[in-house]
Amino acid sequence: MTRTVYVNGEYLPETEAKVSIFDRGFLMADAVYEVTSVLDGKLIDFEGHAVRLKRSLDELDMAEPCTKEELLDIHRKLVELNGIDEGLVYLQVSRGSDGDRDFVFPSADTPPTLVLFTQNKPGLADNPAAKKGAKIISIEDIRWGRRDIKTVQLLYPSIGKMMAKKAGCDDAWLVEDGFVTEGTSNNAYFVKAGKIVTRPLSNNILHGITRKAVMRLAKEAQMEVEERLFTIDEAKAADEAFTTSASAFVMPVVEIDGVALGDGTPGPIARRLREIYIDEARKTAI
Ligand code: PLP
């Protein structure tokens, strides 16, 4: 089926959608993005994604392409036009194009490029991968220092996933100065003696929208949560581990660098948090 996508004010078949070859997103990775999940045809935590998008744009001195209300309308229209029950809405804003290539930013009145498209993912909630759990490798974190800004500079995370794949695993956790930062496209946690441990927020990690919701839900469920730096060796010695992201919710981790966690199957806290999160997401979706 040909998708209907959104480009700068127009809804078009994906085969007809066009962006300039001079677009700074294309030439310089001068663009930010958001991914919002859809369950039961409704958007999960749209507000959180809209607020983070605004923050990413502000941090890069990039213009807002439209209002939050307009963004919500575009999301909803794409979900409807493409008949998405479970899936994702990808949004990207770039600094646009002034018709040439230059390191200097184009003039402030250059319109940003706004692109959105849907990805149909039946079975997003009832994901078999979550029942199996993910196998992780650890690799060095060599990304730039502003990982709190959700830019499209995804080459290294992409290389990390390929390294994991080559090693027969599912994903990689990134390690900097001896401490785990996050996963290639998710936030990272381990559980020891009932306590959930994750790295505190800083410029070194993305401030996950799912992280925020899961931390709140864990506390509401009387689970103990500690935000502190942790090493890959601590995670390997954990009872269980998991990751969070908008596209995979809570994903149990069953192996790190070849070491099985607990009995090598998804742990009870990760399973419970996944259940609670999806339940709450369905209830609060718009
Ligand atoms: N960390 C990184 C590097 C990511 O790319 C992502 C999601 O893409 C996350 C964390 C999780 O963020 P969220 O829960 O907002 O999807």
Side-chain angles (χ1 to χ4, degrees):
M1 190 187 110
T2 308
R3 267 178 292 196
T4 300
V5 303
Y6 176 95
V7 183
N8 294 329
E10 286 189 283
Y11 294 89
L12 299 163
E14 63 186 38
T15 46
E16 286 170 31
K18 288 192 180 69
V19 172
S20 165
I21 62 156
F22 299 113
D23 192 275
R24 287 184 58 95
F26 177 60
L27 294 180
M28 307 252 173
D30 188 359
V32 298
Y33 76 107
E34 283 295 330
V35 178
T36 304
S37 279
V38 177
L39 286 179
D40 312 321
K42 291 182 185 170
L43 301 161
I44 308 305
D45 215 338
F46 173 80
E47 179 67 23
H49 290 284
V51 168
R52 186 173 61 189
L53 173 67
K54 166 97 176 71
R55 182 179 179 278
S56 293
L57 292 169
D58 286 349
E59 290 295 312
L60 296 175
D61 204 16
M62 218 185 270
E64 275 179 84
C66 60
T67 66
K68 190 165 77 178
E69 290 68 33
E70 286 166 333
L71 273 187
L72 177 58
D73 285 346
I74 300 166
H75 277 76
R76 283 178 159 160
K77 190 157 175 192
L78 282 182
V79 167
E80 193 194 318
L81 288 172
N82 293 291
I84 307 294
D85 182 53
E86 292 196 1
L88 307 170
V89 183
Y90 177 86
L91 168 159
Q92 179 170 320
V93 185
S94 85
R95 204 181 300 275
S97 150
D98 60 1
D100 205 351
R101 178 178 182 272
D102 197 335
F103 279 80
V104 174
F105 288 179
S107 61
D109 59 357
T110 304
T113 301
L114 175 63
V115 170
L116 287 93
F117 58 82
T118 53
Q119 293 183 288
N120 193 27
K121 305 259 181 198
L124 192 65
D126 196 23
N127 185 352
K131 292 185 182 96
K132 237 174 93 195
K135 292 182 179 176
I136 301 293
I137 58 164
S138 63
I139 60 172
E140 193 189 347
D141 195 343
I142 57 166
R143 299 172 300 163
W144 81 322
R146 288 305 306 274
R147 303 152 193 165
D148 57 311
I149 307 173
K150 199 167 166 64
T151 74
V152 300
Q153 301 172 55
L154 297 175
L155 180 56
Y156 189 64
S158 186
I159 288 171
K161 292 238 196 233
M162 292 312 294
M163 288 165 78
K165 219 176 144 174
K166 256 189 211 149
C169 293
D170 304 294
D171 205 353
W173 281 11
L174 309 171
V175 179
E176 183 176 58
D177 299 331
F179 299 105
V180 175
T181 50
E182 57 190 333
T184 57
S185 61
N186 43 57
N187 291 115
Y189 312 73
F190 74 86
V191 183
K192 185 76 181 177
K195 190 196 280 178
I196 302 164
V197 178
T198 195
R199 187 182 178 104
L201 296 180
S202 69
N203 290 351
N204 294 340
I205 62 169
L206 187 74
H207 302 189
I209 302 304
T210 321
R211 177 188 186 279
K212 189 173 177 189
V214 166
M215 300 274 273
R216 176 175 56 79
L217 294 169
K219 286 172 194 163
E220 282 172 16
Q222 315 299 327
M223 294 175 187
E224 205 185 335
V225 181
E226 187 183 6
E227 291 178 74
R228 65 166 173 84
L229 299 184
F230 65 95
T231 65
I232 200 75
D233 283 341
E234 274 184 281
K236 279 191 225 169
D239 301 325
E240 53 174 300
F242 61 91
T243 61
T244 61
S245 67
S247 52
F249 310 134
V250 178
M251 177 61 63
V253 167
V254 294
E255 187 185 295
I256 300 175
D257 289 337
V259 177
L261 306 187
D263 64 1
T265 65
I269 290 188
R271 278 190 285 123
R272 179 85 190 109
L273 279 176
R274 183 178 174 87
E275 219 175 84
I276 298 174
Y277 175 80
I278 291 174
D279 200 39
E280 171 83 3
R282 284 191 197 281
K283 278 191 206 140
T284 54
I286 61 168

